[in-house]
Amino acid sequence: MRVRPGSDVSTRPRSYPRGVELPGFVLRTKRRWVANGLPDYPMWIAALIDSAALVTAVVVVAQRHADGALAAAGLAILALLPWVAEMWTQAATWVGFVVLTGGAVLVLMTVYPVEYEWAPFLLILMAGHVTAGGGLWRGIAVTLAGEAVVVTVYLSGHLAGPELGIWAAGIAVGLDMGFVLRSQQLRIDAQAREHAIRERQAVLEERHRIGREVHDLVAHSLSVTMLHLTAARREVEDAAEQGDAARLEDARSALRDAERVGRQAMADIRGAVGLLGRDEDPVTAPTPGLEDVPALVADFRGAGLAVAYDASGDLEQVPPTTALGLYRIVQESLANVAKHTPRSRVHVRLDVSRDPGALSVTSDLPRTTHRNPGGSGLSGMAERSAQLGARFTAGPAGRSWVVRVELPRGDLTGDGHACPLPRPAPPLRRAAPDPA
């Protein structure tokens, strides 16, 4: 398995323990190895194999110090050339191993034979090295070349039968060790890539979640604030015309409410944004639930929106995640009404007395609807519903606009415990453009 440069797989070598600093040229070389499709082996593995080959070559020359030392040194250097070429070119040189390493060992063992021969160790290291770096099929080709070398030496009479079996088995073991090493490293690399992908996905999901929460906070707070400001403006205009001090006091009260909501919104946004800069686990504030819906409705009602709220069933049996999602959907629905039809009558109905439970927000249908390309009201509510496994619909029904969320069957357990995994939510059905 080779990875082409430019693919979506990261070619950056893994980091090393703190305090271990590798030279720059070593890191650049390793980066090129990974870019050319070699597994991201730790440097000590490559150094161990190359050092073993170098030590073997030195021993082979030392064994022939009395006869043909110079020629043996030249052949040993020739046998090591594929290792050097691979280090500098970062390319597969398995053909060079077959021709140069295999040929040099063959000449050493037949022309300059010695007792207790070490040269076949180069064939074992060759089989393991090529298999670990180039893959199984190249490793098999190199292994067969190594086996052919020892068989040829045996047939020439320079190798005994037991030695033939030992070296032939050793070369096969080198192939096996290289294959195991490559398989394990490729698995480690795949796990590292998968972990990196999951980390990126987790970061994106968290950013999206925070953005959605901030959007809900801002939309709700600004909608209530604008209702208060509109009411205050009208009271001031009417009071100025009629000289009514009572209306001026009503205007001041509306402005104070607008200021209170605005300050609370700023505090909530600071808290949400402040969590992004903390490295340690933050202590988060309690998330809103269904018990907070009456206060939410009261805020909009106090700002001048005609809202009625009815709830039936035991709200405490609703799981916290579902409760938060329903709260946000009510919040977004009321914010949309306050933004587009502030004089509309709204009826929020929550029924968890049966299974499946349902939430509906009904408001007067505006005379005209327009598409807001930047709006995220309906899409945000549909996304929250999908996360709950709920069925979400929004559209006109007679002279009303109805947002309805039907919870998945089995989501209400009756004992307040966690519910089973919900079924996938159906796609959003829109009967009219998103007014958000």
Side-chain angles (χ1 to χ4, degrees):
M1 174 182 145
R2 294 184 65 82
V3 181
R4 297 183 179 275
S7 66
D8 60 350
V9 178
S10 174
T11 58
R12 185 181 65 180
R14 67 171 51 84
S15 59
Y16 286 83
R18 184 174 298 178
V20 178
E21 296 292 339
L22 295 177
F25 76 93
V26 174
L27 291 176
R28 289 192 296 271
T29 300
K30 191 171 188 295
R31 192 174 293 112
R32 288 196 296 269
W33 286 350
V34 176
N36 286 331
L38 295 176
D40 190 9
Y41 290 113
M43 289 300 297
W44 68 265
I45 294 180
L48 180 63
I49 295 177
D50 294 348
S51 299
L54 179 61
V55 170
T56 301
V58 172
V59 173
V60 167
V61 175
Q63 286 182 314
R64 293 161 176 81
H65 68 281
D67 184 18
L70 185 60
L75 290 170
I77 293 174
L78 191 65
L80 295 177
L81 279 180
W83 269 281
V84 178
E86 187 175 88
M87 183 180 299
W88 287 102
T89 63
Q90 291 82 47
T93 56
W94 67 275
V95 176
F97 278 101
V98 171
V99 175
L100 298 180
T101 304
V105 171
L106 178 61
V107 173
L108 282 169
M109 296 182 67
T110 54
V111 178
Y112 305 99
V114 295
E115 194 175 2
Y116 306 113
E117 182 65 77
W118 273 54
F121 274 117
L122 289 173
L123 302 178
I124 297 175
L125 294 171
M126 173 183 73
H129 178 82
V130 174
T131 306
L136 179 61
W137 294 110
R138 293 176 179 177
I140 291 176
V142 171
T143 299
L144 292 177
E147 301 287 5
V149 169
V150 295
V151 170
T152 302
V153 175
Y154 168 75
L155 294 177
S156 67
H158 296 91
L159 197 63
E163 292 177 317
L164 171 63
I166 293 174
W167 291 122
I171 296 173
V173 170
L175 169 69
D176 181 67
M177 293 183 65
F179 176 74
V180 171
L181 189 64
R182 179 181 178 84
S183 299
Q184 292 295 327
Q185 189 59 47
L186 289 178
R187 183 176 301 177
I188 293 173
D189 293 347
Q191 290 175 348
R193 291 193 297 270
E194 183 179 358
H195 181 69
I197 292 173
R198 288 182 177 179
E199 281 188 342
R200 289 195 294 270
Q201 289 177 342
V203 170
L204 292 177
E205 290 175 0
E206 184 64 13
R207 288 178 178 175
H208 187 63
R209 185 191 68 80
I210 293 175
R212 188 170 59 245
E213 294 293 331
V214 172
H215 167 269
D216 291 342
L217 289 173
V218 173
H220 160 246
S221 302
L222 288 182
S223 299
V224 175
T225 302
M226 289 303 299
L227 288 175
H228 280 299
L229 292 177
T230 302
R233 176 182 58 80
R234 290 174 178 172
E235 293 292 342
V236 169
E237 291 175 350
D238 294 343
E241 293 178 356
Q242 302 175 10
D244 191 340
R247 287 200 169 186
L248 285 177
E249 182 59 30
D250 291 340
R252 293 191 188 96
S253 177
L255 290 174
R256 283 193 293 268
D257 290 339
E259 181 183 13
R260 175 184 57 81
V261 174
R263 291 183 182 277
Q264 182 62 42
M266 290 299 297
D268 292 340
I269 293 173
R270 281 196 215 97
V273 175
L275 295 179
L276 299 177
R278 297 185 181 179
D279 295 331
E280 69 278 2
D281 292 336
V283 179
T284 58
T287 57
L290 296 180
E291 67 278 4
D292 299 306
V293 173
L296 175 68
V297 171
D299 280 344
F300 279 96
R301 188 183 293 130
L305 193 66
V307 188
Y309 173 61
D310 294 324
S312 59
D314 184 7
L315 300 183
E316 294 183 356
Q317 69 173 324
V318 181
T321 302
T322 303
L324 174 61
L326 294 177
Y327 176 89
R328 292 304 189 193
I329 291 174
V330 173
Q331 185 182 57
E332 181 65 28
S333 298
L334 295 179
N336 285 344
V337 174
K339 177 180 179 182
H340 298 285
T341 56
R343 296 185 179 181
S344 173
R345 294 169 300 173
V346 189
H347 187 191
V348 180
R349 172 69 177 169
L350 178 61
D351 184 6
V352 295
S353 61
R354 57 186 178 85
D355 190 13
L359 166 71
S360 64
V361 181
T362 306
S363 60
D364 296 337
L365 185 67
R367 295 181 180 179
T368 59
T369 60
H370 64 280
R371 181 178 297 275
N372 185 0
S376 59
L378 290 183
S379 60
M381 289 187 283
E383 184 176 349
R384 287 190 181 277
S385 300
Q387 291 176 349
L388 301 177
R391 180 180 179 84
F392 176 82
T393 57
R399 296 184 177 181
S400 300
W401 178 274
V402 180
V403 173
R404 181 173 177 82
V405 179
E406 184 175 332
L407 298 177
R409 188 173 299 277
D411 197 47
L412 305 178
T413 62
D415 57 4
H417 291 89
C419 61
L421 289 177
R423 63 182 182 272
L428 168 64
R429 295 190 294 106
R430 291 188 183 178
D434 183 355

